[in-house]
Amino acid sequence: VCSSDLCEAKVFAWAGVLWAAGEIARGRWGGAWVALGAATAVHPIVGGWGMIAAAIERFALERRAFPAWPALAVGAALAAVGVWPALQLSFGVGPEVRAEATRIYVTERLSHHLLPRTFADGMIARHLLAALVSWLIARQLPERSERQRLHGFTLAALAISAAGYAISLTEAINADIAYGLLKYYWFRLSDGLAPLALAIGAAALLAEGGLLRKLFGSAAMARWAVVLLVGLGLFRESLHWPLPGRQLAARSDKFMHAAAWEEICGWVEKHAPAGSLFLVPRQAGSFVWRTGRAEMVAWKNIPQAPRSIIEWRRRIVDCYSRDGSLVGMEPDAASLGREHLLNVAATYGASHAIVAAAVTGLDGPGLNRLHANDRYAVYAIDR
C-alpha cells in the first residue's frame, strides 16, 4: 500500500524550479523551460505548476512568444515522463472510487496543504504579508528587467494560489468537484517563490546605500539591523540542527523519542528476518529506511492511486482508530488491547509489532517479546 524513501521527489523538483527561476530572470527561456520539464518529470505537481506559471509570465505578463520549438519539445517530453504515469494511476477506476479517494486525500490526510479552511491560523495572512512587503520593496528599487521577470514569475504563482482559494469557496456548492481540483496543490508553488522573491528584493535593497539612507536615515544601521535579525533567526533555527553531541529525531519522527527509536530500529535491522512485516507506531515515519523491513501501513506515506488510498485509510482506521475516524487515533495498535493487536495482525499478515514499552498485558500466547528499551518493545506475532 505504501513505501518509504530517504527523501521526497519534490526536493529535486524544487531544484529544477529554482534553476528555472534564475534562467527566467536572465531571460533565457529555453533553459528555463527545459529545467521546468525536468522538474515535472521528477514531481508533476511542483514542476507542472512551474511550467504553467512560466507560461503565464511569458504570454500574459510579458506578452511575448515562447522559446524556439526545440526547447519546447524537450521540456514537454521531459514533463511527459512524470505526467503520464501520474495520469495512469486513475485509469480504469470508477467515479465513486475516485471521489472517495479524493475526499480522503483532501479533507482527512492532507487538508493542511490543500484545503484553506483548515490552514493553521495566521499562515495565509503571513503569506500575503510577505507578498505585500516584496511588492513594496520592488516599488522602491530601480527598474531592472531581471527583477521584473522574476516578479512576474512569482506573481503568476500567487495568481495560481488565488485561483485555488477561489475553488475552495465552492466546497459547499459541489464538494466533489472542489476536492477533485484542490488535490493538485494550488498553493505549493507560491509557498516557495513568494519567500524567494522577498529575500531577493531585500538583498537588492540592502545593496542600495542611497536608498537605504533615504528610507531609514542610515545605510549602516539598516544593514546591521538585518545582520542582527538574521543572526537571531539562525540561532533559533540551530536548535533544530544535528550539531555534535545532540541527538535529534528525523523530521518524519518528530513525535518519537529519537535515541530509543534509533536503537529499536537498529535491533530490527540486525535481527528481524528479511521478509518481516511490521506493525509500527502511527507517528513513526522512518521505519523502512532505517531497517529495510516492510511496514503494514504508515500515516506519513499515503499512496497516490485511488484504490490504494481507500485501502490505506481502511488499514489506518483498523489499526489505530476507536471510532472509525482519523481524529484522535491511538499512538499504536497495542493501545487498543492485546486482542485488537492480534486481530489486526491476523487480518493483514503482520509478523512483528513495535509498541510502546509502557503498554502492559501483551505477553502471552500469540505475542512474544523479543527486545525492548525504555520506550519501545518489539514483539513477534505467531500466526
Side-chain angles (χ1 to χ4, degrees):
V1 175
C2 54
S3 62
S4 182
D5 300 308
L6 289 175
C7 62
E8 298 183 54
K10 66 185 179 185
V11 174
F12 304 99
W14 265 109
V17 172
L18 295 177
W19 187 309
E23 294 292 282
I24 289 172
R26 295 180 178 92
R28 299 201 290 244
W29 284 92
W33 190 252
V34 171
L36 291 170
T40 306
V42 176
H43 195 292
I45 294 294
V46 172
W49 282 127
M51 296 184 92
I52 292 172
I56 292 173
E57 204 286 329
R58 186 67 171 174
F59 289 131
L61 300 180
E62 287 196 33
R63 300 182 181 179
R64 297 178 62 186
F66 230 56
W69 70 264
L72 285 174
V74 171
L78 287 171
V81 173
V83 172
W84 179 245
L87 293 175
Q88 287 181 302
L89 292 173
S90 295
F91 285 1
V93 179
E96 297 84 4
V97 173
R98 286 200 304 270
E100 175 60 10
T102 300
R103 184 197 65 78
I104 294 168
Y105 196 80
V106 174
T107 69
E108 293 189 316
R109 177 58 185 89
L110 291 163
S111 60
H112 57 292
H113 289 308
L114 305 176
L115 196 56
R117 64 176 171 81
T118 69
F119 290 176
D121 291 342
M123 286 301 190
I124 295 177
R126 287 165 59 182
H127 195 66
L128 294 175
L129 180 61
L132 175 62
V133 173
S134 181
W135 176 75
L136 290 174
I137 290 175
R139 285 180 58 85
Q140 301 299 321
L141 293 169
E143 289 190 6
R144 291 186 58 179
S145 58
E146 295 91 340
R147 279 199 289 268
Q148 289 177 330
R149 283 189 289 266
L150 182 59
H151 288 150
F153 189 42
T154 305
L155 181 61
L158 290 168
I160 291 169
S161 289
Y165 190 85
I167 290 169
S168 75
L169 299 178
T170 68
E171 182 184 6
I173 301 171
N174 192 317
D176 286 347
I177 292 177
Y179 299 155
L181 293 171
L182 288 172
K183 70 179 181 180
Y184 294 112
Y185 287 84
W186 294 72
F187 314 100
R188 172 141 286 174
L189 187 64
S190 69
D191 280 349
L193 290 187
L196 175 66
L198 176 58
I200 291 175
L205 179 62
L206 290 173
E208 297 285 341
L211 185 55
L212 286 177
R213 285 190 291 272
K214 176 183 175 182
L215 294 175
F216 303 105
S218 169
M221 288 185 63
R223 288 165 178 163
W224 277 112
V226 171
V227 169
L228 177 61
L229 290 173
V230 170
L232 290 173
L234 286 173
F235 173 76
R236 183 175 182 275
E237 291 302 315
S238 70
L239 300 177
H240 307 288
W241 297 349
L243 299 174
R246 178 185 293 172
Q247 185 81 34
L248 292 178
R251 188 163 180 251
S252 57
D253 292 323
K254 62 182 179 180
F255 298 108
M256 308 296 288
H257 187 279
W261 180 245
E262 183 176 350
E263 190 277 332
I264 214 78
C265 288
W267 187 92
V268 169
E269 182 183 23
K270 293 178 181 177
H271 298 94
S276 303
L277 178 62
F278 276 77
L279 178 57
V280 302
R282 177 175 56 86
Q283 294 173 325
S286 63
F287 177 78
V288 171
W289 67 261
R290 285 187 184 276
T291 66
R293 306 303 189 271
E295 58 192 352
M296 202 179 79
V297 68
W299 174 259
K300 175 67 175 175
N301 300 314
I302 183 171
Q304 299 297 306
R307 290 193 181 94
S308 295
I309 291 173
I310 294 173
E311 170 66 9
W312 170 88
R313 187 190 190 280
R314 182 165 70 89
R315 292 191 179 208
I316 287 287
V317 166
D318 286 352
C319 291
Y320 309 112
S321 178
R322 291 184 181 273
D323 59 6
S325 76
L326 300 188
V327 178
M329 292 186 293
E330 296 296 328
D332 59 50
S335 300
L336 294 170
R338 169 187 164 81
E339 291 305 314
H340 174 81
L341 177 59
L342 288 172
N343 289 338
V344 168
T347 299
Y348 296 107
S351 60
H352 294 76
I354 299 177
V355 304
V359 177
T360 60
L362 298 180
D363 295 315
L367 288 174
N368 178 30
R369 181 180 283 213
L370 303 177
H371 176 72
N373 56 36
D374 60 341
R375 296 279 180 165
Y376 308 105
V378 181
Y379 283 84
I381 302 171
D382 297 331
R383 290 184 290 171

